Amino acid sequence: MNVTRATFDEVMVPNYNPAGMVPVRGEGSRVWDQDGAEYIDFAGGIAVNVLGHCHPELVKALTEQGNKLWHLSNVFTNEPALRLATKLTEATFADRVYFANSGAEANEAALKLARRWALDKFGEEKNQIIAFNKGFHGRTFFTVTVGGQSAYSDGFGPKPGAVDHCEYNNLEAFEKLISDKTCAVMMEPLQGEGGIISPDPEFVKGVRELCNKHNALLIFDEVQSGVGRTGHLYAYMGLDVTPDILTSAKSLGGGFPIGAMLTTTAIAEHLKPGTHGSTYGGNPLACAVAEKALDIVNTREVLSGVEAKEALYRELLGKINDKYNVFEEIRGKGMLLGCALNKDYEGRARDFLVASANEHLMVLVAGANVVRFAPSLIIPEEDIREGLARFERAVAAVVEAK
Ligand SMILES: Cc1ncc(COP(=O)(O)O)c(C=O)c1O
């Protein structure tokens, strides 16, 4: 059957507006479309393809598991899920893991757990959830309500209640909002969708202290920042602040859908049998791939490589900016970088994305003002150089068209 981009407009719900070309194959940080045209991938499937496309070790893990056992449901447990959970608990603060299929589902589980924990321990008054403006936590109705962008949550009827928002990096405002009625605080330890905004380390420490003071759980949403992206296995490890609950997805499966919620034994015990669940959560195929991805990412070689690659991106982007003067700031950490546009190009991040696509480079935006890169953690140096040469041509095209 012959399908093209035009088929999308005929058969798909129009909630997405995908690019004009249809990718059919990927290898490392390169992708090819239906016409055989080649692209360099700095988008990584929105911070997902942590080891690029079709990494041979991940393909091997998937095919081996594919020949053994695909699905059981949680009526049974399975070996890949048990091994992955063991490795996640060994590598982090957590003692317990709950598997889901996406970032939103991992966050949904975290929020429900926090509410149940507070109800069991302190009663129903303690139900407030605090999150931050510009935060993003997924598209289920609870998570999109907790996310700090009402444009995504308005227009669907009554929202889940007792959710309040506060300015990120503003400890004074946060201190005014938190109280003994707060059951949990959800934050990204590096805001992704909101514009690649790093937290002030003192702010994160202050939030932790105030959570302790008011017996509120601190939930770190590391769906975008986790699994090596910042050069640490999880971003909290570079901030010296430990959350009570952590959520992970995106890079965790290296491109295979999986989400996870990590927590301590004392908190986990409030999700008793029957309180929450998922048919597919902990699926053996997903867990087998994620186990292999974790084995590869959680090595000195890959994690320290992230730092070196960030330095190269920053150096080359700095040179582009010296020539064209379009960025106010290059921000973010590791392989999650944002080029924040200056006043002259305010609101035009999408123009840079389109110009990059014309140069056969895949990039992302993070809001209207930031061009975002979230490539593979092992993108080869020559792909970074070639990709940024294409990006320079894209920048030149936007500047010329001005
Ligand atoms: C920080 C963060 N949390 C949650 C999500 C939602 O993840 P998913 O799309 O897998 O549900 C995202 C997706 O962009 C994210 O960046």
Side-chain angles (χ1 to χ4, degrees), residues 341-343 345-351 368-369:
L341 300 172
N342 65 24
K343 283 228 160 354
Y345 294 88
E346 205 166 329
R348 294 189 54 194
R350 210 164 170 86
D351 293 349
N369 266 333

Side-chain angles (χ1 to χ4, degrees), residues 42 309-324 327 330 373 381-389 391-392:
F42 281 1
K309 288 176 205 298
E310 177 188 348
L312 182 60
Y313 267 99
R314 284 184 179 274
E315 183 202 323
L316 298 177
L317 285 167
K319 284 187 181 155
I320 294 173
N321 204 30
D322 288 345
K323 225 158 138 185
Y324 296 96
F327 310 130
I330 309 296
F373 301 141
E381 183 178 330
E382 68 174 277
D383 288 4
I384 298 177
R385 289 186 184 278
E386 171 59 24
L388 287 175
F391 189 59
E392 177 167 349

Side-chain angles (χ1 to χ4, degrees), residues 46 48 101-107 135-140 143 188 190-193 221-225 247 249-250 258 372:
I46 319 192
V48 167
N101 309 292
S102 65
E105 282 186 31
N107 284 332
F136 187 82
H137 303 296
R139 299 281 198 152
T140 64
T143 59
E188 291 164 87
L190 193 173
Q191 284 192 329
E193 299 301 310
D221 176 346
E222 293 235 28
V223 167
Q224 189 152 164
S225 60
T247 54
K250 287 189 179 281
I258 183 169
R372 173 174 38 155

Side-chain angles (χ1 to χ4, degrees), residues 4 14 26-27 31 68 102 104 116 128-129 152 156 159 176 215 225 282 291 306 351 361-362 371 396:
T4 65
E27 191 181 323
V31 171
K68 264 194 211 159
S102 65
R116 183 55 66 99
Q128 183 201 33
I129 289 162
Y152 295 148
F156 298 103
K159 297 177 189 178
K176 281 196 189 125
N215 280 321
S225 60
E291 182 195 0
V306 169
D351 293 349
L361 174 70
M362 295 165 157
V371 182

